[in-house]
Amino acid sequence: MSDRDFDLFVLGAGSGGVRASRVSAGYGARVAVAEDDRLGGTCVNVGCIPKKLLVLASHYSEDFEDARAYGWDVEARGFDWARLIANKDGEIQRLNGVYQRLLDEAGVTRIEGFARLEDEHTVRVGERSYSAETILVATGSWPHMPAIPGIEHAISSNEAFYLDRLPERVAVVGGGYIGVEFAGIFHGLGARTTQLYRGPLFLRGFDDDLRRTLAEEMEKKGIDLRFETDPTAIERKDDGLHLTLNDGSSLVVDEVLYATGRLPKTRDLGLEKLGVEMGPKGEIKVDATSRTNVPSIYAIGDATDRLNLTPVALAEGMAFARTVYGGEPTQPDHADVATAVFSQPPIGTVGLTESEAREQLGPVDVYRSSFKPLKHTLTGRDEKTLMKLLVDPRSDRVVGAHMIGADAPEILQAVGIAVKLCATKAQFDATIGIHPTAAEEFVTMREKASS
Ligand code: NDP
């Protein structure tokens, strides 16, 4: 045991930092974790969890309408934003407490305040310095907005969770995960919603069929999607926020949400001074075991900008603890990570997109199924579900599985196991479906759409 204050000092008590702290302590390490905000990080406080609650809330508007076809006479008599936010806050507070208990029960020392590195074995928090054999940076990321005139009038997702009231008219700028998710939330809750994206089609990097289908479905719901469109200035006037758009036109709204990406939260940590190698976005460069070029300093999660997803940060934290304290060198595996976009309808996806598959493998077999979900045969709602499998014809391996439609995230979690296990199309075909489900389509797609 070293004579330093701790074996491990963790900066940041988000998903990755808490997991690494707890598991390291479980291996017997003396661990401290510093946090200057609420426990749980982005995911718990202003990310995955509250976002999913708002998505669930916003879907009720369609559910009430759909209920009529099933014999129910229900009518939404109103929607209370303040009640939703208060209930959401209550749940977040409960989770903050759970995180606190988990750390305490694991014997991790919690330190409140902003932590900064003084040297490669010393961390300063407020007036106190702590020495540690190993330092782990798990400080996450922060919303980034372009510096256009009037950007101070815009909010980020951080503020969207705490608005005093639901805006009547809202513009969402950006075409990534957060943009499409919040456009769906605001629209579902009743706001007149416009989504602006600078490129030709949002969700760059996702399979093109999913991107096109989502755009069609969102437009059908009544969301005003404007591609190749970007604000150049925002001005506050008596009747609202005036956005000047790149085509010279303007848009007046009550709230502008910028969802134009996030940057690693690594400034002012003292990393540059210690010579820790960083990339242009401020991302900390690490090797396959999450170690930086300074041997006593490691980094995980969004701060390293590898694959910015909570479960990936958890896996990186786990691998770190196993490697450094568990005597079991482990590299986090970033291949074939299934992911979901909680758009409406939602997306679930794993593996290569069709264009990536063609680029990497040459010819690929494409299986595609598009149908109206059973639920909507009665409601008459015109919402499509689309599922797609991409198969490497040489090995018969399923290299990509994609879905947009109800329950896609739940379904893709299971399909993700099959893809991770390198299942072949023949093995998908040999699996007997569960009827009647949408998921059974994944094991009954027989006709190649193209190859
Ligand atoms: P993304 O990086 O996913 O998307 C950013 C969007 O903003 C892109 O459409 C991008 O356009 C656009 N953009 C970037 N810079 C500008 C600019 N200067 N002006 C106009 N538009 C711009 O970021 P998000 O903010 O949506 O999400 C951040 C991260 O959080 C994601 O990468 C994801 O890892 C994580 N996340 C995961 C979720 C999930 O798992 N369900 C949910 C929410 C977030 P272009 O495509 O042209 O670059």
Side-chain angles (χ1 to χ4, degrees), residues 51 146 174-179 181 197-198 204 230 259-262 308-309 339-342:
K51 177 273 308 289
Y177 282 81
I178 300 179
E181 290 178 343
Y197 172 55
R198 64 181 176 181
R204 186 164 61 83
D230 204 24
T260 45
R262 298 174 62 91
N308 299 331
L309 299 167
T339 175
V341 185
F342 292 93

